[in-house]
Amino acid sequence: MTKKNSTNNCLSLHCGIVCLLGIIVFSCNEGKLKSFKPGEIWQDNNGVHINAHGGGLLLCNGVYYWYGEHKTEGAGGNQANVGFHCYSSRDLYNWKDEGIALKIMPEGSGSDIEKGSIMERPKVIYNTKTGKYVMWFHLEPKGAGYTGARSGVAVADNPTGPFTYLRSVRPDAGYWAINYPATLKNADVPSAGQHYSGGDLPAHPDSLNLVKRDFEGGQMARDMNLFVDDDGKAYHIFASEENSTLHISLLSDDYLSQSGTYYRFFEGRFMEAPAMFKKDGMYYLIMSGCTGWAPNAGRCAIAPSVFGPWTELQNPFVGQDAEVSFRSQSTYVVNVPGKTDQFIYMGDRWQPENAIDGRYIWLPIHFNGQQPVIEWVDEWQY
């Protein structure tokens, strides 16, 4: 079995120096681990379980950076108590603790990212035009529960940070989805002033006209990911419309805001945890259903372009526990550099009662024609 990761290759001289230093510092630990053991405690260079949940990877000149939620003990650890953690690696097995890339603000500061807010699924991409590292994440301001449904944006000069928080937004305020039915733009809004559980709706999202409900203030954005295509264009992919519908939004050239161009897909299907990747000129999504912390059967889809049309495929998980995705939820898909047909599924096995004990499920993705297939392996190498 084989795998590794490809995210944006960072080409700046400054990043090259950072990566070189990372190699020098990390070389003393290289070779300690030689395989993946899904679901087991995964220790960093300090012998501490890696704390980067809901994460994503960035590849910079041969060095991988893993960004994720820093959890703390107990159920309260599901809130933001520390920030987003960063680790670095040259081989994907052995990880060096690089510290907190984006720190929360103190309680009572009034910041969107103060202690007690909800900060989830950080993803970082590198902008070759600006030389900046750009982070997007799901943000719920303190006390809002999951009604805020906002996206946070932060930026840094180095892959390990520190990242500077810029703002939070409801995406695409004042813009219609390109494929939103024209008949609905002038229709009534039965959902005006209403908010729902995020796991179901009393009617189809079009019947409730949720896009029009949120037109002026911006569309809801919860579970999210980022994808940079071969042409350098970046896309923000997120669960919207009370989690019922997936939105794919083109970012601005500097990756710091939406461009106003977006499409909606899988209306009423309640797709969460989207992870996009590209293979043989086709675009893939691996996702989950919407059942809170409880795992469910995985989902996947294929399209000839980022903006579709998207066609659902079968559950990519096969074998025992496939109906609960091996008790995991997708967070990212890694394309092994230099090995175009090899991909790694990154998933989280959540432990909501003791958040810090969340485990990582990394497994190889195979293909049966165009159908992704993920099988359980107790231990494996790429």
Side-chain angles (χ1 to χ4, degrees):
M1 298 177 181
T2 345
K3 304 283 170 213
K4 243 175 193 172
N5 138 282
S6 166
T7 320
N8 252 4
N9 284 326
C10 306
L11 303 177
S12 70
L13 177 62
H14 180 69
C15 179
I17 294 172
V18 171
C19 291
L20 178 61
L21 291 174
I23 292 170
I24 293 171
V25 172
F26 191 68
S27 61
C28 62
N29 294 312
E30 184 159 6
K32 182 179 179 182
L33 298 178
K34 294 291 187 180
S35 64
F36 299 110
K37 297 180 180 181
E40 295 192 11
I41 290 288
W42 194 348
Q43 295 180 340
D44 64 14
N45 61 308
N46 297 317
V48 177
H49 181 45
I50 293 170
N51 202 336
H53 310 269
L57 299 190
L58 172 73
L59 174 62
C60 174
N61 289 351
V63 176
Y64 303 91
Y65 295 91
W66 180 358
Y67 307 89
E69 306 160 28
H70 182 106
K71 301 289 193 181
T72 55
E73 291 186 5
N78 296 304
Q79 297 177 333
N81 296 311
V82 178
F84 293 137
H85 216 126
C86 177
Y87 297 82
S88 65
S89 174
R90 284 199 295 155
D91 62 8
L92 293 175
Y93 303 127
N94 299 277
W95 292 89
K96 176 179 179 287
D97 185 354
E98 297 288 356
I100 303 302
L102 176 64
K103 296 181 179 180
I104 63 166
M105 298 298 290
E107 193 169 11
S109 65
S111 170
D112 283 346
I113 62 169
E114 73 171 276
K115 184 177 181 180
S117 61
I118 296 173
M119 297 166 58
E120 299 177 333
R121 299 183 177 272
K123 302 297 183 287
V124 175
I125 52 180
Y126 179 71
N127 191 292
T128 58
K129 296 178 180 178
T130 65
K132 300 291 186 181
Y133 299 85
V134 180
M135 174 188 288
W136 284 76
F137 57 96
H138 170 212
L139 173 66
E140 301 287 349
K142 184 178 179 179
Y146 276 86
T147 63
R150 303 182 71 82
S151 296
V153 189
V155 66
D157 294 322
N158 300 299
T160 56
F163 280 79
T164 299
Y165 174 70
L166 298 181
R167 64 185 176 277
S168 72
V169 297
R170 278 281 192 95
D172 298 306
Y175 291 94
W176 295 109
I178 299 300
N179 58 345
Y180 198 59
T183 54
L184 293 178
K185 295 178 182 179
N186 296 315
D188 292 335
V189 184
S191 62
Q194 297 293 316
H195 290 281
Y196 304 96
S197 68
D200 56 22
L201 289 173
H204 190 277
D206 286 358
S207 298
L208 298 172
N209 212 346
L210 297 176
V211 170
K212 187 173 182 180
R213 182 196 68 179
D214 296 331
F215 179 78
E216 293 185 2
Q219 301 301 314
M220 302 180 78
R222 290 185 179 138
D223 279 10
M224 59 136 286
N225 219 313
L226 299 176
F227 176 78
V228 180
D229 209 347
D230 301 331
D231 59 4
K233 291 183 178 180
Y235 300 86
H236 184 204
I237 307 148
F238 51 94
S240 191
E241 302 177 42
E242 306 286 358
N243 284 359
S244 70
T245 303
L246 194 75
H247 286 201
I248 301 179
S249 179
L250 175 66
L251 294 179
S252 58
D253 287 344
D254 61 8
Y255 301 168
L256 296 178
S257 60
Q258 270 76 27
S259 68
T261 298
Y262 73 103
Y263 287 72
R264 53 198 294 270
F265 300 102
F266 313 113
E267 298 91 332
R269 286 285 288 133
F270 289 90
M271 302 286 203
E272 276 194 327
M276 184 180 288
F277 63 101
K278 189 176 183 180
K279 178 183 183 295
D280 298 333
M282 300 295 287
Y283 298 80
Y284 290 84
L285 279 166
I286 290 182
M287 301 160 285
S288 79
C290 187
T291 52
W293 293 111
N296 52 62
R299 302 174 181 182
C300 65
I302 188 173
S305 76
V306 173
F307 286 145
W310 286 93
T311 301
E312 275 196 69
L313 302 173
Q314 298 175 4
N315 181 355
F317 298 89
V318 297
Q320 186 175 356
D321 285 339
E323 73 281 1
V324 288
S325 305
F326 308 134
R327 293 184 289 125
S328 74
Q329 186 181 39
S330 51
T331 186
Y332 199 76
V333 171
V334 184
N335 182 197
V336 182
K339 300 181 179 182
T340 56
D341 289 335
Q342 298 190 352
F343 298 83
I344 297 174
Y345 162 82
M346 287 175 57
D348 288 280
R349 182 172 287 172
W350 302 112
Q351 301 286 356
E353 299 305 317
N354 187 26
I356 197 171
D357 191 37
R359 307 296 177 90
Y360 309 105
I361 308 299
W362 288 27
L363 290 167
I365 302 175
H366 303 296
F367 289 85
N368 181 7
Q370 292 185 324
Q371 170 69 46
V373 177
I374 304 172
E375 298 177 284
W376 180 261
V377 188
D378 288 328
E379 182 175 1
W380 66 284
Q381 298 175 322
Y382 62 79

